[in-house]
Amino acid sequence: MIVQTTQKSKEQLREELLKPDVITGSEALLRSLLLEDVDCVFGYPGGAVLYIYDAMHGNPDFNHLLTRHEQGAIHAADGYARSTGKVGVCIATSGPGATNLVTGIATAYMDSVPLVVITGNVATTVIGTDAFQEADITGITMPITKHSYLVRDVRDLPRIIKEAFHIASTGRKGPVLIDIPKDVSNDASPFYYPEKVEIRGYNPTVQPNRLQVDRMLEAIAEAERPVILAGGGVVYSGAADELIKFVNATRIPVTTTLLGLGGFPSAHELWLGMPGMHGTHTANHALQNCDLLIGIGARFDDRVTMKVNGFAPKAKKIVHIDVDPAEIGKIVETSIPVVGDVKTVLELANQKVKAGDTSAWVDWVKENKAKYPLTYKDSDTELKPQYVIEMLHETTNGEAIVTTDVGQHQMWAAQYYKFNKPRSWITSGGLGTMGFGFPSAIGAQVANPDRLVISINGDGGMQMCSQELAICAINKIPVKIVVINNQVLGMVRQWQEIIYDNRYSHIDLAGSPDFVKLAEAYGVKGLRATNKDEARTAWKEALDTPGPVLVEFVVRKHENVFPMVTQGSTIDQMIMGDSE
């Protein structure tokens, strides 16, 4: 786990790092990362990065966590970044090492997560010759990075690292790749680390146009049925407190997207739940009946809007606040565009916002929430996954950092675990990456050693990065690993049942390993529960046990996620399931 240094030792370390010594590119890389306050790098060595790993040897100031797969490394860096707001860093060798990072880079790019991804490459003298383990990783990842660098001169390396951190963490955040040929990592040069960054052509808009903010405030004063759609941008910009203040002043109900969960407290009376394909009845019907829709840091993903030309049909005006101007008007026609950092926009709006008359609308929202709560048909003979998630929430008071993999368990966690703090919910939204959940929890736990981190996984996704159990055991990383085991690819099975007329094709996971024995093989305590009593007993033991624990909850195979909106339908055309 990470050891925190004192302020004095940090200052002393900084003085040492800034000395203009003649050092290798590898040493310059490590110095630069430390000067960017990187306290842990996740990685996996190989031939093209051996000079870099050699520089790590005996360096007491540099923390590196050896994962068991490059994809585990980048997902851990992603979880670190999402849980802290800092830039996550990972490193891999050339060729297959670099290409194994591609899924993680795309995951971070889709969800606007700040990463600096460092790859090794073959020597500059053989680039382009199909040398052993050569891959054009900058070309491969060009569509899924904010920017990428191929370092050809060691003297450029410190400047490039400074720029990479700046690009990754400003504007719409995202991954930046730095590809370092092997000879560059061994070349020597006097070390100089720039104090500031100046990049011609890169100046993200942070301050909004005040006239557009005024137009938004005028629309709010006139609206009778306004709704806020709050997305991940609220979390990433650190605007949760400003949003609460804005909502309390305007009395506008709020629905939070999958990535926006935690950006607005679920306990607030004006929270509607999550919208979209598996959204709540109240959130979806509020969006369809609102006369003013205010999108805040949300990109109007297709899983939120569903049938776009039937989305928010009664909205006379749509406001879209986003730091990325390319998102505004991309999916839905926007009446009032506000380009800028979400926190900055809300701070400005809060100075003079005036509420409209929303009393009747708020009453309707509260009545709808009471009439159509999230429900499921409980059982005394079978363990239901919804019950498991409710138990996790109840026993942790909603205070844990929760990561998920992708599938049914992800949606149940989003529905039934209630979040009141930002950066407590970590999931792959845009790309929907199976294998993400468990390694991202490792990164979150490394970054937050004093908080409880729960990794919720399906039996499918757990097998995609289960090898990272080793580093939990070796490094005593106390993640509590939950496996919701329904012995099937659950979300695929649900679609095949509802949309493909029960034609089940290649979804059976009954031959999966014994997860308890798998955990024990890696040196992690494993527990299993098949009913409610066993579930509570096993989970209590997991919470009471220091270090990592895996708990397998064997649940009903044919349980579905409801509500559900099928593709091609509007978001108010909901299949309610057991509550219908």
Side-chain angles (χ1 to χ4, degrees), residues 13 17 27 30-31 34 54-63:
L13 176 61
L17 296 172
E27 292 168 326
L30 302 193
R31 280 197 186 191
L34 289 169
D54 187 59
M56 293 182 199
H57 183 74
N59 187 330
D61 302 313
F62 193 84
N63 289 300

Side-chain angles (χ1 to χ4, degrees), residues 136-147:
D136 179 11
I137 194 63
T138 56
I140 290 168
T141 60
M142 189 173 291
I144 53 171
T145 53
K146 280 191 73 176
H147 193 62

